[in-house]
Amino acid sequence: MERPAGVEQDPGIALLDLYDEALPQVYGYLLARCGQRALAEDLTAETFLAAVEAARRGRPTP
């Protein structure tokens, strides 16, 4: 369902959508760079935790 013009998506929902789409790409990128599954998993988790924190903070006010 489309949102009316000018209505922003909830940041939590947007983050879940991003997570679903980006997780394999982020993990694959990190695994290719470091070559260690456990390290790539940790780095991927840290990446998405940082995204959650950024979403919680919201947009900065001008």
Side-chain angles (χ1 to χ4, degrees):
M1 179 176 186
E2 277 189 44
R3 291 182 309 274
V7 175
E8 294 185 23
Q9 183 176 15
D10 177 280
I13 301 298
L15 185 57
L16 286 174
D17 290 343
L18 175 65
Y19 178 84
D20 288 342
E21 184 177 326
L23 177 66
Q25 295 156 339
V26 170
Y27 174 73
Y29 174 85
L30 293 169
L31 180 59
R33 297 310 179 272
C34 70
Q36 299 174 22
R37 290 180 61 182
L39 179 57
E41 290 169 3
D42 288 346
L43 293 171
T44 301
E46 290 295 324
T47 299
F48 284 102
L49 285 173
V52 168
E53 287 300 315
R56 284 183 180 161
R57 284 192 303 272
R59 293 184 180 183
T61 55

Short mmCIF file of all heavy atoms in Angstrom, two decimals:
data_model
loop_
_atom_site.label_atom_id
_atom_site.label_comp_id
_atom_site.label_asym_id
_atom_site.label_seq_id
_atom_site.Cartn_x
_atom_site.Cartn_y
_atom_site.Cartn_z
N MET A 1 0.84 -1.17 0.00
CA MET A 1 0.00 0.00 0.00
C MET A 1 0.89 1.24 0.00
O MET A 1 1.83 1.34 0.77
CB MET A 1 -0.90 -0.03 1.24
CG MET A 1 -1.80 1.14 1.35
SD MET A 1 -2.88 0.92 2.80
CE MET A 1 -3.89 2.32 2.55
N GLU A 2 0.57 2.18 -0.85
CA GLU A 2 1.35 3.41 -0.93
C GLU A 2 0.96 4.38 0.15
O GLU A 2 -0.20 4.47 0.53
CB GLU A 2 1.14 4.07 -2.30
CG GLU A 2 2.01 3.49 -3.38
CD GLU A 2 1.93 4.33 -4.64
OE1 GLU A 2 1.98 5.57 -4.55
OE2 GLU A 2 1.80 3.73 -5.70
N ARG A 3 1.98 5.11 0.63
CA ARG A 3 1.72 6.16 1.61
C ARG A 3 1.32 7.42 0.87
O ARG A 3 1.80 7.69 -0.22
CB ARG A 3 2.99 6.43 2.42
CG ARG A 3 3.36 5.29 3.33
CD ARG A 3 4.59 5.64 4.15
NE ARG A 3 5.71 6.12 3.37
CZ ARG A 3 6.61 5.35 2.78
NH1 ARG A 3 6.51 4.05 2.87
NH2 ARG A 3 7.60 5.86 2.11
N PRO A 4 0.47 8.23 1.48
CA PRO A 4 0.15 9.51 0.88
C PRO A 4 1.39 10.38 0.76
O PRO A 4 2.34 10.24 1.54
CB PRO A 4 -0.85 10.14 1.86
CG PRO A 4 -1.36 9.01 2.69
CD PRO A 4 -0.28 7.98 2.71
N ALA A 5 1.40 11.27 -0.20
CA ALA A 5 2.53 12.17 -0.40
C ALA A 5 2.81 12.94 0.88
O ALA A 5 1.89 13.40 1.56
CB ALA A 5 2.24 13.13 -1.55
N GLY A 6 4.07 13.07 1.23
CA GLY A 6 4.47 13.83 2.40
C GLY A 6 4.47 13.04 3.69
O GLY A 6 4.87 13.55 4.72
N VAL A 7 4.01 11.79 3.67
CA VAL A 7 4.00 10.95 4.87
C VAL A 7 5.22 10.04 4.82
O VAL A 7 5.39 9.28 3.89
CB VAL A 7 2.70 10.11 4.97
CG1 VAL A 7 2.77 9.17 6.16
CG2 VAL A 7 1.49 11.02 5.04
N GLU A 8 6.06 10.15 5.85
CA GLU A 8 7.28 9.36 5.89
C GLU A 8 7.03 8.00 6.53
O GLU A 8 6.20 7.87 7.41
CB GLU A 8 8.35 10.10 6.68
CG GLU A 8 8.81 11.37 6.00
CD GLU A 8 9.94 12.02 6.73
OE1 GLU A 8 10.66 11.33 7.48
OE2 GLU A 8 10.12 13.23 6.55
N GLN A 9 7.81 7.01 6.07
CA GLN A 9 7.72 5.67 6.63
C GLN A 9 8.38 5.66 8.00
O GLN A 9 9.36 6.36 8.25
CB GLN A 9 8.43 4.68 5.71
CG GLN A 9 8.33 3.25 6.17
CD GLN A 9 8.97 2.29 5.20
OE1 GLN A 9 9.72 2.69 4.32
NE2 GLN A 9 8.67 1.03 5.35
N ASP A 10 7.82 4.87 8.91
CA ASP A 10 8.41 4.69 10.23
C ASP A 10 9.86 4.23 10.07
O ASP A 10 10.12 3.29 9.31
CB ASP A 10 7.59 3.64 10.99
CG ASP A 10 8.17 3.35 12.35
OD1 ASP A 10 9.13 2.57 12.42
OD2 ASP A 10 7.64 3.91 13.33
N PRO A 11 10.81 4.86 10.77
CA PRO A 11 12.22 4.47 10.61
C PRO A 11 12.48 3.01 10.96
O PRO A 11 13.35 2.38 10.36
CB PRO A 11 12.97 5.39 11.56
CG PRO A 11 12.03 6.46 11.95
CD PRO A 11 10.65 5.97 11.68
N GLY A 12 11.74 2.46 11.92
CA GLY A 12 11.93 1.06 12.27
C GLY A 12 11.54 0.13 11.14
O GLY A 12 12.25 -0.84 10.84
N ILE A 13 10.43 0.42 10.50
CA ILE A 13 9.99 -0.40 9.36
C ILE A 13 10.96 -0.26 8.20
O ILE A 13 11.33 -1.24 7.55
CB ILE A 13 8.56 -0.01 8.93
CG1 ILE A 13 7.57 -0.19 10.07
CG2 ILE A 13 8.13 -0.77 7.69
CD1 ILE A 13 7.44 -1.61 10.57
N ALA A 14 11.39 0.96 7.96
CA ALA A 14 12.36 1.19 6.88
C ALA A 14 13.66 0.43 7.15
O ALA A 14 14.25 -0.15 6.23
CB ALA A 14 12.64 2.68 6.73
N LEU A 15 14.08 0.40 8.41
CA LEU A 15 15.30 -0.32 8.76
C LEU A 15 15.14 -1.82 8.56
O LEU A 15 16.04 -2.49 8.07
CB LEU A 15 15.71 0.00 10.19
CG LEU A 15 17.04 -0.59 10.64
CD1 LEU A 15 18.18 -0.14 9.74
CD2 LEU A 15 17.32 -0.21 12.07
N LEU A 16 13.99 -2.35 8.92
CA LEU A 16 13.74 -3.79 8.69
C LEU A 16 13.76 -4.12 7.20
O LEU A 16 14.30 -5.16 6.80
CB LEU A 16 12.41 -4.20 9.30
CG LEU A 16 12.38 -4.32 10.82
CD1 LEU A 16 10.96 -4.59 11.30
CD2 LEU A 16 13.33 -5.39 11.31
N ASP A 17 13.17 -3.25 6.39
CA ASP A 17 13.21 -3.46 4.94
C ASP A 17 14.65 -3.44 4.43
O ASP A 17 15.04 -4.28 3.62
CB ASP A 17 12.38 -2.40 4.22
CG ASP A 17 10.89 -2.56 4.46
OD1 ASP A 17 10.45 -3.64 4.91
OD2 ASP A 17 10.16 -1.58 4.21
N LEU A 18 15.41 -2.47 4.92
CA LEU A 18 16.82 -2.38 4.53
C LEU A 18 17.59 -3.62 4.97
O LEU A 18 18.37 -4.18 4.21
CB LEU A 18 17.45 -1.12 5.13
CG LEU A 18 18.94 -0.96 4.90
CD1 LEU A 18 19.25 -0.79 3.42
CD2 LEU A 18 19.48 0.19 5.72
N TYR A 19 17.36 -4.06 6.20
CA TYR A 19 18.03 -5.24 6.73
C TYR A 19 17.77 -6.46 5.85
O TYR A 19 18.70 -7.16 5.47
CB TYR A 19 17.55 -5.50 8.16
CG TYR A 19 18.15 -6.72 8.80
CD1 TYR A 19 19.40 -6.67 9.40
CD2 TYR A 19 17.47 -7.94 8.80
CE1 TYR A 19 19.95 -7.80 10.00
CE2 TYR A 19 18.02 -9.06 9.38
CZ TYR A 19 19.26 -8.99 9.98
OH TYR A 19 19.81 -10.10 10.55
N ASP A 20 16.50 -6.68 5.52
CA ASP A 20 16.15 -7.84 4.69
C ASP A 20 16.86 -7.80 3.34
O ASP A 20 17.30 -8.83 2.84
CB ASP A 20 14.64 -7.90 4.47
CG ASP A 20 13.88 -8.31 5.71
OD1 ASP A 20 14.50 -8.88 6.64
OD2 ASP A 20 12.66 -8.05 5.77
N GLU A 21 16.95 -6.62 2.78
CA GLU A 21 17.56 -6.50 1.46
C GLU A 21 19.08 -6.51 1.52
O GLU A 21 19.74 -7.10 0.67
CB GLU A 21 17.08 -5.20 0.80
CG GLU A 21 17.58 -5.03 -0.62
CD GLU A 21 17.04 -3.78 -1.27
OE1 GLU A 21 15.89 -3.41 -0.98
OE2 GLU A 21 17.77 -3.18 -2.07
N ALA A 22 19.65 -5.85 2.50
CA ALA A 22 21.09 -5.61 2.51
C ALA A 22 21.91 -6.66 3.26
O ALA A 22 23.13 -6.74 3.04
CB ALA A 22 21.37 -4.23 3.10
N LEU A 23 21.30 -7.42 4.14
CA LEU A 23 22.07 -8.36 4.95
C LEU A 23 22.98 -9.26 4.13
O LEU A 23 24.19 -9.33 4.41
CB LEU A 23 21.15 -9.20 5.84
CG LEU A 23 21.86 -10.26 6.68
CD1 LEU A 23 22.77 -9.62 7.72
CD2 LEU A 23 20.87 -11.19 7.33
N PRO A 24 22.49 -9.95 3.11
CA PRO A 24 23.40 -10.83 2.36
C PRO A 24 24.53 -10.06 1.68
O PRO A 24 25.66 -10.56 1.59
CB PRO A 24 22.50 -11.49 1.32
CG PRO A 24 21.11 -11.23 1.74
CD PRO A 24 21.12 -10.03 2.62
N GLN A 25 24.24 -8.87 1.23
CA GLN A 25 25.26 -8.08 0.54
C GLN A 25 26.32 -7.57 1.52
O GLN A 25 27.52 -7.61 1.22
CB GLN A 25 24.60 -6.92 -0.21
CG GLN A 25 23.71 -7.44 -1.32
CD GLN A 25 22.63 -6.46 -1.70
OE1 GLN A 25 22.26 -5.58 -0.95
NE2 GLN A 25 22.10 -6.64 -2.90
N VAL A 26 25.89 -7.09 2.67
CA VAL A 26 26.84 -6.59 3.67
C VAL A 26 27.70 -7.74 4.17
O VAL A 26 28.94 -7.63 4.22
CB VAL A 26 26.09 -5.91 4.84
CG1 VAL A 26 27.04 -5.60 6.00
CG2 VAL A 26 25.39 -4.64 4.37
N TYR A 27 27.08 -8.85 4.52
CA TYR A 27 27.83 -10.01 5.01
C TYR A 27 28.80 -10.52 3.93
O TYR A 27 29.98 -10.78 4.22
CB TYR A 27 26.88 -11.13 5.43
CG TYR A 27 27.60 -12.40 5.80
CD1 TYR A 27 28.31 -12.49 6.99
CD2 TYR A 27 27.59 -13.50 4.96
CE1 TYR A 27 29.00 -13.64 7.34
CE2 TYR A 27 28.26 -14.66 5.30
CZ TYR A 27 28.97 -14.72 6.47
OH TYR A 27 29.66 -15.86 6.80
N GLY A 28 28.32 -10.63 2.71
CA GLY A 28 29.19 -11.10 1.63
C GLY A 28 30.38 -10.19 1.39
O GLY A 28 31.51 -10.66 1.17
N TYR A 29 30.13 -8.90 1.44
CA TYR A 29 31.20 -7.93 1.27
C TYR A 29 32.25 -8.08 2.38
O TYR A 29 33.45 -8.15 2.10
CB TYR A 29 30.62 -6.51 1.29
CG TYR A 29 31.66 -5.43 1.27
CD1 TYR A 29 32.19 -4.98 0.06
CD2 TYR A 29 32.12 -4.85 2.44
CE1 TYR A 29 33.15 -3.99 0.02
CE2 TYR A 29 33.09 -3.86 2.41
CZ TYR A 29 33.60 -3.43 1.20
OH TYR A 29 34.56 -2.45 1.18
N LEU A 30 31.78 -8.15 3.62
CA LEU A 30 32.71 -8.25 4.74
C LEU A 30 33.45 -9.59 4.74
O LEU A 30 34.65 -9.64 5.04
CB LEU A 30 31.97 -8.03 6.05
CG LEU A 30 31.43 -6.61 6.23
CD1 LEU A 30 30.48 -6.54 7.42
CD2 LEU A 30 32.56 -5.61 6.38
N LEU A 31 32.75 -10.66 4.40
CA LEU A 31 33.40 -11.98 4.35
C LEU A 31 34.49 -12.00 3.28
O LEU A 31 35.59 -12.52 3.51
CB LEU A 31 32.36 -13.07 4.07
CG LEU A 31 32.90 -14.49 4.00
CD1 LEU A 31 33.58 -14.89 5.31
CD2 LEU A 31 31.77 -15.45 3.66
N ALA A 32 34.22 -11.40 2.15
CA ALA A 32 35.21 -11.36 1.08
C ALA A 32 36.44 -10.56 1.50
O ALA A 32 37.57 -10.87 1.08
CB ALA A 32 34.61 -10.77 -0.18
N ARG A 33 36.25 -9.55 2.32
CA ARG A 33 37.36 -8.70 2.74
C ARG A 33 38.19 -9.33 3.86
O ARG A 33 39.41 -9.19 3.88
CB ARG A 33 36.87 -7.32 3.19
CG ARG A 33 36.20 -6.48 2.12
CD ARG A 33 37.03 -6.41 0.86
NE ARG A 33 36.46 -5.65 -0.22
CZ ARG A 33 35.64 -6.13 -1.14
NH1 ARG A 33 35.24 -7.37 -1.11
NH2 ARG A 33 35.21 -5.36 -2.12
N CYS A 34 37.53 -9.98 4.82
CA CYS A 34 38.28 -10.47 5.98
C CYS A 34 38.56 -11.97 5.90
O CYS A 34 39.47 -12.45 6.56
CB CYS A 34 37.58 -10.12 7.29
SG CYS A 34 36.04 -11.00 7.58
N GLY A 35 37.74 -12.72 5.15
CA GLY A 35 38.00 -14.14 4.96
C GLY A 35 37.69 -15.04 6.15
O GLY A 35 38.00 -16.22 6.12
N GLN A 36 37.09 -14.48 7.20
CA GLN A 36 36.77 -15.27 8.39
C GLN A 36 35.28 -15.13 8.69
O GLN A 36 34.80 -14.02 8.92
CB GLN A 36 37.57 -14.78 9.59
CG GLN A 36 39.06 -14.90 9.41
CD GLN A 36 39.80 -14.27 10.57
OE1 GLN A 36 39.25 -14.12 11.66
NE2 GLN A 36 41.05 -13.90 10.36
N ARG A 37 34.58 -16.26 8.70
CA ARG A 37 33.13 -16.21 8.89
C ARG A 37 32.72 -15.54 10.20
O ARG A 37 31.84 -14.69 10.22
CB ARG A 37 32.54 -17.62 8.84
CG ARG A 37 32.58 -18.23 7.45
CD ARG A 37 32.00 -19.62 7.45
NE ARG A 37 30.60 -19.54 7.86
CZ ARG A 37 29.81 -20.58 8.00
NH1 ARG A 37 30.27 -21.78 7.77
NH2 ARG A 37 28.56 -20.43 8.36
N ALA A 38 33.35 -15.93 11.30
CA ALA A 38 32.97 -15.38 12.60
C ALA A 38 33.19 -13.87 12.64
O ALA A 38 32.35 -13.12 13.15
CB ALA A 38 33.74 -16.06 13.72
N LEU A 39 34.30 -13.41 12.10
CA LEU A 39 34.60 -11.99 12.08
C LEU A 39 33.59 -11.24 11.19
O LEU A 39 33.09 -10.18 11.56
CB LEU A 39 36.03 -11.72 11.62
CG LEU A 39 36.45 -10.27 11.54
CD1 LEU A 39 36.27 -9.57 12.89
CD2 LEU A 39 37.90 -10.16 11.05
N ALA A 40 33.29 -11.80 10.03
CA ALA A 40 32.32 -11.18 9.13
C ALA A 40 30.94 -11.10 9.79
O ALA A 40 30.23 -10.10 9.64
CB ALA A 40 32.24 -11.94 7.81
N GLU A 41 30.57 -12.14 10.53
CA GLU A 41 29.29 -12.12 11.25
C GLU A 41 29.27 -11.02 12.31
O GLU A 41 28.29 -10.28 12.44
CB GLU A 41 29.02 -13.48 11.88
CG GLU A 41 28.70 -14.55 10.86
CD GLU A 41 28.69 -15.95 11.45
OE1 GLU A 41 28.87 -16.11 12.68
OE2 GLU A 41 28.51 -16.90 10.67
N ASP A 42 30.36 -10.91 13.06
CA ASP A 42 30.46 -9.86 14.09
C ASP A 42 30.39 -8.47 13.47
O ASP A 42 29.69 -7.58 13.96
CB ASP A 42 31.74 -10.00 14.90
CG ASP A 42 31.72 -11.18 15.85
OD1 ASP A 42 30.63 -11.75 16.08
OD2 ASP A 42 32.81 -11.54 16.35
N LEU A 43 31.14 -8.27 12.39
CA LEU A 43 31.14 -6.96 11.73
C LEU A 43 29.78 -6.62 11.13
O LEU A 43 29.34 -5.46 11.18
CB LEU A 43 32.23 -6.92 10.66
CG LEU A 43 33.67 -6.98 11.17
CD1 LEU A 43 34.64 -7.16 10.01
CD2 LEU A 43 34.00 -5.74 11.99
N THR A 44 29.11 -7.63 10.60
CA THR A 44 27.78 -7.41 10.05
C THR A 44 26.82 -7.00 11.15
O THR A 44 26.03 -6.05 11.00
CB THR A 44 27.27 -8.68 9.33
OG1 THR A 44 28.18 -9.01 8.28
CG2 THR A 44 25.89 -8.48 8.75
N ALA A 45 26.88 -7.68 12.29
CA ALA A 45 26.03 -7.33 13.42
C ALA A 45 26.31 -5.91 13.89
O ALA A 45 25.37 -5.14 14.15
CB ALA A 45 26.24 -8.33 14.56
N GLU A 46 27.57 -5.55 13.99
CA GLU A 46 27.93 -4.19 14.42
C GLU A 46 27.43 -3.15 13.43
O GLU A 46 26.98 -2.07 13.83
CB GLU A 46 29.45 -4.07 14.58
CG GLU A 46 30.01 -4.85 15.74
CD GLU A 46 29.53 -4.33 17.08
OE1 GLU A 46 29.36 -3.10 17.24
OE2 GLU A 46 29.31 -5.16 17.98
N THR A 47 27.48 -3.47 12.16
CA THR A 47 26.99 -2.55 11.13
C THR A 47 25.51 -2.27 11.31
O THR A 47 25.06 -1.11 11.29
CB THR A 47 27.26 -3.13 9.73
OG1 THR A 47 28.67 -3.30 9.56
CG2 THR A 47 26.71 -2.23 8.64
N PHE A 48 24.73 -3.32 11.52
CA PHE A 48 23.29 -3.14 11.66
C PHE A 48 22.92 -2.55 13.02
O PHE A 48 21.95 -1.81 13.12
CB PHE A 48 22.54 -4.43 11.34
CG PHE A 48 22.49 -4.67 9.86
CD1 PHE A 48 23.33 -5.59 9.27
CD2 PHE A 48 21.62 -3.96 9.05
CE1 PHE A 48 23.30 -5.80 7.89
CE2 PHE A 48 21.58 -4.16 7.69
CZ PHE A 48 22.43 -5.08 7.10
N LEU A 49 23.70 -2.83 14.06
CA LEU A 49 23.46 -2.18 15.34
C LEU A 49 23.68 -0.67 15.23
O LEU A 49 22.93 0.13 15.80
CB LEU A 49 24.36 -2.76 16.42
CG LEU A 49 23.95 -4.13 16.94
CD1 LEU A 49 25.03 -4.68 17.87
CD2 LEU A 49 22.62 -4.08 17.64
N ALA A 50 24.69 -0.28 14.48
CA ALA A 50 24.92 1.15 14.25
C ALA A 50 23.76 1.77 13.48
O ALA A 50 23.36 2.91 13.76
CB ALA A 50 26.24 1.35 13.50
N ALA A 51 23.20 1.04 12.54
CA ALA A 51 22.04 1.54 11.79
C ALA A 51 20.83 1.71 12.71
O ALA A 51 20.08 2.69 12.59
CB ALA A 51 21.71 0.60 10.63
N VAL A 52 20.63 0.77 13.63
CA VAL A 52 19.53 0.88 14.59
C VAL A 52 19.71 2.13 15.46
O VAL A 52 18.76 2.89 15.68
CB VAL A 52 19.42 -0.39 15.47
CG1 VAL A 52 18.50 -0.17 16.65
CG2 VAL A 52 18.97 -1.58 14.63
N GLU A 53 20.91 2.33 15.95
CA GLU A 53 21.18 3.51 16.77
C GLU A 53 20.92 4.80 15.99
O GLU A 53 20.35 5.75 16.52
CB GLU A 53 22.61 3.49 17.31
CG GLU A 53 22.82 2.47 18.39
CD GLU A 53 21.93 2.72 19.60
OE1 GLU A 53 21.81 3.88 20.04
OE2 GLU A 53 21.35 1.74 20.09
N ALA A 54 21.33 4.82 14.75
CA ALA A 54 21.10 6.01 13.92
C ALA A 54 19.61 6.23 13.71
O ALA A 54 19.12 7.37 13.75
CB ALA A 54 21.82 5.86 12.58
N ALA A 55 18.85 5.15 13.50
CA ALA A 55 17.40 5.28 13.31
C ALA A 55 16.73 5.77 14.60
O ALA A 55 15.79 6.56 14.54
CB ALA A 55 16.80 3.94 12.89
N ARG A 56 17.22 5.34 15.74
CA ARG A 56 16.66 5.79 17.02
C ARG A 56 16.89 7.28 17.23
O ARG A 56 16.06 7.96 17.82
CB ARG A 56 17.28 5.01 18.18
CG ARG A 56 16.73 3.63 18.31
CD ARG A 56 17.33 2.94 19.50
NE ARG A 56 16.79 1.60 19.63
CZ ARG A 56 17.36 0.66 20.33
NH1 ARG A 56 18.50 0.88 20.96
NH2 ARG A 56 16.82 -0.54 20.40
N ARG A 57 18.04 7.75 16.81
CA ARG A 57 18.35 9.17 16.97
C ARG A 57 17.48 10.02 16.05
O ARG A 57 17.24 11.18 16.34
CB ARG A 57 19.83 9.44 16.66
CG ARG A 57 20.75 9.02 17.78
CD ARG A 57 22.14 9.56 17.56
NE ARG A 57 22.73 9.16 16.31
CZ ARG A 57 23.42 8.05 16.11
NH1 ARG A 57 23.61 7.20 17.10
NH2 ARG A 57 23.94 7.78 14.92
N GLY A 58 17.04 9.46 14.95
CA GLY A 58 16.22 10.20 14.00
C GLY A 58 17.05 11.18 13.19
O GLY A 58 18.27 11.20 13.26
N ARG A 59 16.35 11.96 12.44
CA ARG A 59 17.01 12.94 11.59
C ARG A 59 17.41 14.15 12.41
O ARG A 59 16.66 14.62 13.26
CB ARG A 59 16.08 13.38 10.49
CG ARG A 59 15.77 12.28 9.52
CD ARG A 59 14.94 12.80 8.41
NE ARG A 59 14.64 11.71 7.49
CZ ARG A 59 13.98 11.85 6.39
NH1 ARG A 59 13.49 13.03 6.06
NH2 ARG A 59 13.77 10.85 5.61
N PRO A 60 18.58 14.69 12.11
CA PRO A 60 18.97 15.91 12.82
C PRO A 60 18.08 17.08 12.41
O PRO A 60 17.62 17.14 11.28
CB PRO A 60 20.42 16.14 12.37
CG PRO A 60 20.63 15.31 11.17
CD PRO A 60 19.58 14.22 11.20
N THR A 61 17.82 17.95 13.33
CA THR A 61 17.00 19.12 12.99
C THR A 61 17.89 20.19 12.37
O THR A 61 19.01 20.39 12.82
CB THR A 61 16.30 19.67 14.25
OG1 THR A 61 17.29 19.92 15.23
CG2 THR A 61 15.29 18.69 14.78
N PRO A 62 17.38 20.87 11.36
CA PRO A 62 18.20 21.90 10.68
C PRO A 62 18.40 23.12 11.54
O PRO A 62 17.78 23.41 12.48
CB PRO A 62 17.41 22.25 9.43
CG PRO A 62 16.10 21.58 9.53
CD PRO A 62 16.12 20.66 10.71
#
